[in-house]
Amino acid sequence: MSTNESILEVTDLRTSFFTEGGEVKAVDGVTFDVPAGKTLGIVGESGSGKSITAMSILQLISHPGKIKGGEIKFRGKNLLDLTEKEMRKIRGNQISMIFQEPMTSLNPTYTVGQQIRESYKIHQGLGKKEGSKRAIEMLKLVGIPSPEKRLDQYPFELSGGMRQRVMIAMALACKPDLLIADEPTTALDVTIQAQILELIKELQDELGMSVVMITHDLGVVAETCDYVAVMYCGKVVEYADVRTLFKNPRHPYTVGLLKSLPRSDRDQEELTPIKGTVPSPDEMPVGCRFAPRCPFATDLCHEKLPSLDDVGDGEQIRCWIYTDEWNGDPGVKVYEPERTTES
Amino acid sequence: MSQKELLKVKNLKQYFPIKGGILGRTVNNVKAVDDISFTVHEGETVSVVGESGCGKSTTGRAILRLDNPTDGTVEFDGINLLDLNKKEMRKMRKDMQIIFQDPYASLNPRQTVRETLREAMAIQGVVPKEERADRIAELLETVGLQPYHADRYPHEFSGGQRQRIGIARALSVDPKLIVCDEAVSALDVSIQAQVLNLLKKFQKEMNLTYLFISHDLGVVRHISDRVIVMYLGKIVEVGDKKSIFENPQHPYTKALLSAIPVPDPDHDKDRIFLQGDVPSPIDPPTGCRFHTRCPFATERCKEETPELRSTGYMAEGHQGACHYMELIESGEHQPTRETSKVRQLSEEPERV
Ligand SMILES: Nc1ncnc2c1ncn2[C@@H]1O[C@H](COP(=O)(O)OP(=O)(O)OP(=O)(O)O)[C@@H](O)[C@H]1O
Ligand SMILES: Nc1ncnc2c1ncn2[C@@H]1O[C@H](COP(=O)(O)OP(=O)(O)OP(=O)(O)O)[C@@H](O)[C@H]1O
Ligand code: SF4
Ligand code: SF4
Ligand SMILES: [Mg+2]
Ligand SMILES: [Mg+2]
């Protein structure tokens, strides 16, 4: 898929929730690679399965959810073959996660110092003194002023931006090889977001980590990612390097997202929304999941689900247009660059 | 857009008391909105932007008198709303509607869409009883919903559809002004674009005036005629959209704009990193409220409060509240703080 060696290869991952209303296929055949040392972005609208994909990688899915199948190869080893005990050694150590809402993963009854020390104790067997020393180093690393004082503070005593920094410090405490960041800045103001994203990027360079950046913000993707997987209804519909995705998007859904986006960097006459809404789990189309909203859909699209296929240059697309079976307009132009008035 | 001034806000203050001690006396105030003035013309969209807690929603609520403003005047159509009694104010509400961020919280879960719309019209008494059924069908069609949706409950709709119901309810009484408080912020971009297009269409057709509150500067650039930038309860810059986005003068506006991630991998990032977090509005910094984070702050900024003003080279109606606008523009006043690094936080006192 890519020329770099991959640190993570997810293949045909499927995770469902078995609810009273039936099976909800939250992640329905997700495939992507994370090249070592790079950042992969996962984008998609609310409910497309981004968080469940991340939770599946760390096997944090609980009842009524279940990982049904697929492969999650981390450094060549399938994580789904590991026992819970073996997984525990990987979590927070080789693979770490930052969650959208820091309060859900920081324990409100322990001080910042206690929480970071705990991580050193579990994974590296460090005592209180050595743990504190390392914790101070971490807090300094993420740009927290007077880290010695912060060690004794509780999460509620910190501002939102500070808490997010503490989260990052905790996630990076054991110098993971892979960091999964699920909407790490969505709850923050843009000026704080800019700080946090830059911080993650700098730490990635210093520590040589690979990153999976989950977001619904295409601006964040463009600024932080090397590769991008676009998700729709539990499936990856386009996988490409970041320049290709923005300069030459090929999947009709990706193009629809870009055309819906109001831009802060230039004037636009009109937005072109994607028509309709995301289908609910109980009325999922049988063919291409995007067919009811796609301006190019043919009868083939409505009847048969396209597969995620290589289209060259390490890019993958899930759309009939790019296959020999395409029965619509042979000269169809999915994307035409807008003529814009740059500011 | 006409030249008629529909809404004129003058020296508006909204303080929220903080009670303390065993006697429950007011020990301090949250100065959520602290002496702001601005005008909105008929048929225009004026956006209010700024970070969380800067007073955007409070401004909107004060104008509609959902809270009782501490001081100032709010003239709507020539009448000072703050002089009206409850009954008179209720009548005025017909002309002034609000759409909230979370349509779910603002809709009655036990009422069908039809009941919600009928009630809105009944309270305001604008549409005669016998015409209400037709009007409901018309409204639903206008906002892109089906007639059968009228008999469904809020939980049976998606977020985007609920936001359309919120819009239909606001439109049902034929208002002049709609305050949109983060009205599209919770929506996915594809749905957000649908709702933004609808709002624009209605504005054209019904000569509506919008006060559009949002922290999303992409959305703001798309929908606004003019923009108000707030920081800690004060207006720091105001101007037409072009001036604010292409020629920002206040250091805060510049930092805010530079922080927005742009969906273009080739975009030149000349990012200004602000230090630290927004201070508390309970005990805001003296002088210029931005001085604790401003890259250009000097001793003078700690003492003297800058007023909104224009300079020779700024467009008509474009004003900023900074002592050094001209000198920053000409390059004579250089940054007094590091702005290119994220890990050199200054040791400033935390205010909680
Ligand atoms: N515990 C659960 N029970 C049933 N369905 C669930 C559960 N958790 C998630 N889902 C469903 O799984 C799908 C994917 O959810 P997920 O949280 O991964 O979305 P997401 O892409 O992260 O969205 P968002 O951008 O809103 O965070 C959704 O349809 C959601 O309703
Ligand atoms: N009823 C209230 N009592 C006390 N403080 C309040 C009240 N309402 C708002 N505040 C405070 O006033 C300040 C301004 O709040 P406001 O809701 O107007 O901010 P905002 O700009 O709308 O922020 P956001 O983007 O988060 O919605 C905040 O510090 C807030 O905590
Ligand atoms: S397969 Fe068909 S419906 Fe699906 S995205 Fe491609 S053209 Fe559209
Ligand atoms: S007055 Fe001073 S602190 Fe305020 S914005 Fe201008 S330079 Fe910055
Ligand atoms: Mg999520
Ligand atoms: Mg608000």
Side-chain angles (χ1 to χ4, degrees):
Chain A
M1 190 141 64
S2 65
T3 48
N4 294 50
E5 196 192 324
S6 296
I7 185 160
L8 184 74
E9 291 164 70
V10 175
T11 314
D12 196 28
L13 179 66
R14 280 168 289 123
T15 302
S16 287
F17 289 91
F18 296 89
T19 66
E20 271 171 37
E23 178 181 356
V24 176
K25 296 180 175 174
V27 175
D28 191 17
V30 161
T31 299
F32 60 76
D33 272 22
V34 184
K38 302 282 182 195
T39 300
L40 170 81
I42 302 183
V43 268
E45 293 177 281
S46 188
S48 57
K50 305 182 295 293
S51 296
I52 302 300
T53 299
M55 309 279 266
S56 300
I57 293 170
L58 285 171
Q59 293 176 47
L60 294 172
I61 302 292
S62 53
H63 185 79
K66 196 172 179 303
I67 299 176
K68 288 189 356 185
E71 216 179 49
I72 304 167
K73 269 197 179 158
F74 176 67
R75 297 194 166 292
K77 228 187 326 175
N78 186 2
L79 296 182
L80 294 179
D81 291 340
L82 302 185
T83 61
E84 172 55 26
K85 201 172 151 205
E86 290 169 318
M87 250 338 269
R88 231 177 286 147
K89 281 202 193 121
I90 288 187
R91 267 184 231 127
N93 195 17
Q94 284 159 279
I95 308 179
S96 268
M97 186 154 171
I98 312 175
F99 297 87
Q100 174 168 348
E101 177 37 66
M103 281 318 262
T104 59
S105 48
L106 289 176
N107 189 327
T109 57
Y110 290 99
T111 64
V112 168
Q114 283 168 326
Q115 299 189 53
I116 305 181
R117 277 200 302 268
E118 181 68 12
S119 180
Y120 284 121
K121 196 171 140 202
I122 297 175
H123 295 295
Q124 303 183 355
L126 298 185
K128 185 170 174 192
K129 204 165 150 219
E130 185 60 17
S132 290
K133 208 178 114 205
R134 298 280 282 278
I136 290 171
E137 276 167 26
M138 269 336 283
L139 291 177
K140 231 183 234 155
L141 188 69
V142 297
I144 288 184
S146 20
E148 295 82 1
K149 271 190 272 170
R150 305 285 168 186
L151 281 189
D152 300 322
Q153 289 191 321
Y154 290 89
F156 71 86
E157 297 179 85
L158 306 173
S159 69
M162 260 335 154
R163 277 201 290 263
Q164 204 59 297
R165 281 171 190 254
V166 169
M167 276 281 302
I168 295 174
M170 273 173 64
L172 300 184
C174 296
K175 309 240 156 46
D177 301 319
L178 176 66
L179 175 71
I180 302 177
D182 189 358
E183 312 260 8
T185 55
T186 304
L188 303 174
D189 280 319
V190 286
T191 61
I192 310 293
Q193 163 170 283
Q195 293 175 6
I196 300 288
L197 292 179
E198 179 65 20
L199 178 66
I200 293 177
K201 212 186 290 174
E202 283 180 12
L203 295 173
Q204 174 175 24
D205 289 344
E206 284 172 36
L207 307 174
M209 286 186 300
S210 314
V211 176
V212 173
M213 176 72 72
I214 295 175
T215 176
H216 64 272
D217 185 333
L218 286 159
V220 171
V221 172
E223 294 209 348
T224 61
C225 301
D226 302 298
Y227 296 87
V228 189
V230 180
M231 284 188 70
Y232 188 75
C233 293
K235 294 183 187 298
V236 173
V237 295
E238 181 158 6
Y239 178 95
D241 69 85
V242 72
R243 282 205 88 249
T244 304
L245 191 95
F246 283 94
K247 299 295 170 183
N248 186 23
R250 293 200 233 191
H251 196 281
Y253 175 63
T254 311
V255 172
L257 280 183
L258 287 169
K259 281 183 163 171
S260 303
L261 197 64
R263 306 276 301 239
S264 64
D265 59 327
R266 61 176 196 225
D267 288 328
Q268 282 157 303
E269 267 317 298
E270 219 176 314
L271 301 175
T272 317
I274 302 173
K275 68 174 185 193
T277 53
V278 178
S280 66
D282 51 317
E283 47 194 31
M284 200 50 75
V286 289
C288 172
R289 307 299 193 240
F290 190 53
R293 306 177 73 188
C294 180
F296 310 105
T298 65
D299 48 348
L300 172 68
C301 305
H302 287 288
E303 284 155 20
K304 265 176 77 185
L305 176 71
S307 55
L308 183 67
D309 292 329
D310 283 320
V311 291
D313 297 331
E315 215 196 320
Q316 301 183 317
I317 308 278
R318 187 189 285 280
C319 171
W320 287 118
I321 291 177
Y322 304 96
T323 67
D324 297 336
E325 277 131 291
W326 175 242
N327 62 352
D329 176 4
V332 59
K333 272 226 162 32
V334 176
Y335 179 69
E336 281 171 279
E338 264 179 89
R339 240 169 294 169
T340 55
T341 38
E342 290 283 340
S343 66
Chain B
M1 203 197 312
S2 74
Q3 279 314 300
K4 182 180 163 192
E5 293 176 342
L6 184 66
L7 179 70
K8 234 172 136 169
V9 174
K10 266 200 224 144
N11 305 107
L12 182 69
K13 286 186 189 170
Q14 178 77 64
Y15 292 178
F16 297 106
I18 304 168
K19 309 270 184 202
I22 32 170
L23 299 175
R25 265 197 299 243
T26 301
V27 290
N28 213 332
N29 284 300
V30 179
K31 300 184 176 97
V33 169
D34 201 7
D35 194 0
I36 67 170
S37 303
F38 63 91
T39 304
V40 182
H41 296 95
E42 191 175 57
E44 156 180 70
T45 299
V46 174
S47 289
V48 184
V49 304
E51 292 175 284
S52 185
C54 69
K56 304 182 294 294
S57 298
T58 304
T59 303
R61 293 177 58 86
I63 288 168
L64 296 185
R65 267 191 60 189
L66 296 175
D67 298 319
N68 259 328
T70 311
D71 199 8
T73 59
V74 177
E75 260 181 44
F76 182 80
D77 239 353
I79 298 165
N80 183 6
L81 299 182
L82 306 192
D83 288 343
L84 302 183
N85 64 29
K86 270 211 175 108
K87 200 170 142 213
E88 293 166 325
M89 191 56 215
R90 204 172 307 129
K91 264 205 196 129
M92 290 302 289
R93 290 242 167 80
K94 170 205 148 339
D95 291 332
M96 315 172 74
Q97 289 289 305
I98 184 162
I99 306 172
F100 294 100
Q101 166 165 13
D102 180 2
Y104 201 69
S106 66
L107 293 170
N108 183 340
R110 280 180 296 275
Q111 275 185 343
T112 63
V113 172
R114 183 189 308 285
E115 285 159 0
T116 297
L117 295 178
R118 198 185 282 144
E119 185 183 85
M121 288 187 255
I123 290 174
Q124 294 302 341
V126 276
V127 182
K129 225 177 184 164
E130 55 289 356
E131 288 171 28
R132 283 179 199 156
D134 287 346
R135 188 66 205 273
I136 289 169
E138 194 184 295
L139 277 166
L140 289 180
E141 197 191 323
T142 340
V143 298
L145 294 172
Q146 304 295 322
Y148 65 81
H149 284 137
D151 297 305
R152 294 204 174 169
Y153 292 89
H155 74 265
E156 297 175 87
F157 292 95
S158 69
Q161 286 173 324
R162 281 200 286 264
Q163 203 53 283
R164 287 156 193 269
I165 299 168
I167 295 173
R169 182 178 59 182
L171 293 175
S172 69
V173 298
D174 256 333
K176 292 183 181 151
L177 172 80
I178 302 184
V179 175
C180 304
D181 190 354
E182 305 280 2
V184 298
S185 304
L187 305 176
D188 278 321
V189 285
S190 70
I191 308 298
Q192 175 179 286
Q194 294 172 0
V195 174
L196 285 174
N197 283 354
L198 265 180
L199 288 172
K200 276 201 150 182
K201 178 169 161 258
F202 293 143
Q203 176 160 49
K204 236 185 244 153
E205 290 172 4
M206 302 151 91
N207 197 28
L208 285 171
T209 306
Y210 293 139
L211 186 69
F212 198 90
I213 295 168
S214 177
H215 66 272
D216 183 329
L217 286 134
V219 169
V220 165
R221 180 160 195 166
H222 183 71
I223 197 136
S224 318
D225 297 304
R226 287 193 301 127
V227 180
I228 292 170
V229 185
M230 286 185 73
Y231 186 80
L232 266 182
K234 291 249 185 225
I235 294 177
V236 296
E237 186 160 3
V238 55
D240 60 281
K241 168 167 73 180
K242 200 171 154 66
S243 300
I244 297 289
F245 281 93
E246 290 175 18
N247 187 27
Q249 289 296 308
H250 195 281
Y252 176 65
T253 314
K254 289 181 191 178
L256 193 63
L257 289 174
S258 88
I260 310 166
V262 172
D264 176 358
D266 293 340
H267 179 78
D268 243 339
K269 283 160 247 172
D270 226 346
R271 191 146 284 167
I272 305 164
F273 292 108
L274 290 181
Q275 315 266 310
D277 297 305
V278 184
S280 155
I282 295 170
D283 211 353
T286 55
C288 175
R289 291 187 179 189
F290 188 46
H291 85 247
T292 57
R293 296 170 85 204
C294 180
F296 295 94
T298 66
E299 283 303 315
R300 178 181 174 199
C301 306
K302 290 185 191 167
E303 284 148 27
E304 261 178 69
T305 307
E307 296 295 330
L308 274 176
R309 65 192 177 91
S310 202
T311 66
Y313 58 86
M314 283 159 78
E316 202 191 321
H318 183 192
Q319 295 185 307
C322 166
H323 298 309
Y324 294 107
M325 288 188 292
E326 297 90 334
L327 296 177
I328 292 171
E329 183 78 8
S330 69
E332 281 164 76
H333 183 54
Q334 287 292 317
T336 53
R337 278 197 183 113
E338 174 64 69
T339 59
S340 60
K341 296 204 181 73
V342 289
R343 278 188 279 171
Q344 286 200 344
L345 289 180
S346 61
E347 298 282 330
E348 61 208 43
E350 271 277 296
R351 297 157 186 267
V352 179

